[in-house]
Amino acid sequence: MDAINDFISSLLPYTEWPMFILLIGGGLFLAFYSKFAPFRHFGHAIAVVSGKYDDKNAKGDVSSFQALSAAVAATVGLGNISGVAIAIHDGGPGVVFWIWMTALLGMGIKFYSGSLAIMYRGTDSDGHMQGGPMFYITQGMGKWAKPMAIFFSICGLFGFLGVFTANQFTEAFMGVVQPHETLLATSEYNWKLGIGFFLAIITSIVIFGGLNKIAKVASAIVPFMVGIYLLAVIFVMASHAGEVWPALKMILVEAWNFDTAVTGGFWGLVIVGVRRAMFSNEAGLGSAPMYHGQSRNDEPAKEGLVAMLGPFIDTILVCTFTAVVIILSGAYLEDGSGITMTMSAFETTLYGIGDILLMVIVAAFALSTLFTYSYYGVKSLSFLTNAKIGKWYNVFFIVMIVFAAVASLKLVKNLIDLSYALMVIPNMIAVLYLSPKVNAASKQYFEKRKNGGA
């Protein structure tokens, strides 16, 4: 594991600048190029998700709400709870500001990629409708761009593994329950292995049921658990009201700390923020368009607006609340990283039972993320081969859950960071290249709405 980690770590620095330029530079370009249309129609986006504009005759397998729930299920989870803690551990409180900036730009990127998911749809070898970067790269850009779609799919085979989630759930369980002391006296390694097998069995029951089962489970679990988590965090903030503003002020001040101790100085701090924001909401990654491409919707701009809500819910709301609790509790000054830091913050602020409550929430988030992520990997392998072979990805996915349970946090974090950074490159090139087509479609849609036709 150390050898694999050293190899991945040596590759990571080469991906930082391409990722930064495409996400931040590309995000800024799209925000101005769209004349801030996604942000101006935020209210309409919420109305679309509520089902007010659903078209029952449109092509697709799931509703816009189910597509958003499934996409948010894959993003709202341990990326928000422990990913934020990792960011603060690696870069200090100021890193949260750069997570916000990346998320705001990410909303614009998601608008474009969600629109493209509807605009360019294909069918797999089983005849099921599909969407996502592979399809808008090959159909929108032409055959010459197919190597980009293949590269994206190969990176997706690793990027869409549930390794981070399985690793952090295991750490949470070991930290709260301490089963090697309270349940059965065996080694920590054996317990981690056992948790890995348990997660693998539960996940396999759902993921072998297909997309509709995933969408139903996700749309049932996710809104409820996000609600519980937000209530817990709001309660903490209300009971420590005097410390909320100092925590937010610290984020704003430290964001511009040019003498930061972070590796790489100020730019290192910004890069940490961009990485963790992308890990949290996946804007620019190209994962969510795979779900949005299957929405019962024939209006690209309408689905783009739905997709845009993902980074808002995921990062602007959930990540911010988590960060504030970590800072006001003082947990960010401790040695622990990842889920350990967040659990310490909750235990301190919620009368000693916060870590148990967080464990329950983490369990739900972990399972919903595992259910949804496998779907992305299946689509990647299906594109590279065919739909029948694509389903075998689930076996690889299940095996890697067990591996991740006993692996180090550093290894799984670096594996995901590298895969994500490589996936951003072909996806963002395609989104930028095809952005004029999205602008034309959205102009048409908003004009139709203005005239009462949508």
Side-chain angles (χ1 to χ4, degrees), residues 328-344:
L328 68 79
S329 69
Y332 73 100
L333 299 168
E334 296 168 12
D335 288 336
S337 183
I339 197 74
T340 314
M341 182 192 284
T342 316
M343 289 210 146
S344 171

Side-chain angles (χ1 to χ4, degrees), residues 1-2 4-6 8 403 407-416:
M1 286 189 189
D2 285 343
I4 296 168
N5 189 43
D6 290 344
I8 293 170
F403 166 80
S408 70
L409 170 59
K410 195 173 274 187
L411 172 57
V412 298
K413 185 184 79 166
N414 286 344
L415 174 65
I416 297 301

Side-chain angles (χ1 to χ4, degrees), residues 66-77 160-162 165 203 206-207 210-211 213-219 222 282 287-288 290-291 364-379 393-394 397:
Q66 284 181 320
L68 181 67
S69 289
V72 169
T75 54
V76 172
F160 295 137
L161 290 169
T165 299
T203 305
V206 174
I207 65 175
L211 170 69
K213 190 172 265 190
I214 293 170
K216 278 177 187 166
V217 172
S219 55
V222 175
E282 297 174 12
S287 52
M290 293 189 205
Y291 274 116
F365 280 169
L367 290 171
S368 67
T369 303
L370 290 173
F371 298 161
T372 46
Y373 250 49
S374 64
Y375 174 77
Y376 293 147
V378 168
K379 294 302 135 197
Y393 178 82
N394 284 331
F397 186 87

Side-chain angles (χ1 to χ4, degrees), residues 34-234:
S34 66
K35 296 177 183 170
F36 302 96
F39 305 98
R40 289 189 286 113
H41 295 91
F42 190 86
H44 179 56
I46 292 168
V48 172
V49 171
S50 71
K52 191 176 173 184
Y53 296 93
D54 278 1
D55 179 1
K56 289 180 177 61
N57 299 317
K59 295 184 297 232
D61 297 327
V62 294
S63 68
S64 289
F65 174 73
Q66 284 181 320
L68 181 67
S69 289
V72 169
T75 54
V76 172
L78 294 174
N80 311 78
I81 295 174
S82 63
V84 172
I86 290 169
I88 293 171
H89 176 267
D90 292 351
V95 79
V96 178
F97 176 82
W98 298 108
I99 290 176
W100 291 339
M101 293 302 102
T102 310
L104 286 171
L105 295 177
M107 288 172 71
I109 293 170
K110 278 266 178 99
F111 170 74
Y112 276 86
S113 58
S115 299
L116 288 170
I118 296 294
M119 207 176 282
Y120 299 103
R121 295 201 267 197
T123 50
D124 61 20
S125 57
D126 282 352
H128 295 302
M129 184 168 282
Q130 304 296 339
M134 314 80 137
F135 294 93
Y136 54 70
I137 289 172
T138 49
Q139 292 180 24
M141 297 176 77
K143 286 182 181 174
W144 66 270
K146 192 169 183 182
M148 283 169 55
I150 291 169
F151 179 76
F152 174 87
S153 300
I154 291 169
C155 295
L157 298 178
F158 299 94
F160 295 137
L161 290 169
V163 288
F164 182 82
T165 299
N167 177 275
Q168 289 294 278
F169 174 81
T170 305
E171 285 296 317
F173 187 84
M174 294 299 291
V176 173
V177 180
Q178 297 180 331
H180 51 295
E181 293 174 11
T182 56
L183 297 176
L184 179 66
T186 184
S187 69
E188 277 194 42
Y189 178 84
N190 285 344
W191 263 108
K192 285 182 176 182
L193 204 58
I195 295 164
F197 277 113
F198 171 76
L199 279 176
I201 291 163
I202 296 290
T203 305
S204 61
I205 291 167
V206 174
I207 65 175
F208 288 110
L211 170 69
N212 285 329
K213 190 172 265 190
I214 293 170
K216 278 177 187 166
V217 172
S219 55
I221 295 176
V222 175
F224 178 70
M225 292 318 293
V226 170
I228 296 281
Y229 183 68
L230 291 180
L231 281 173
V233 174
I234 290 165

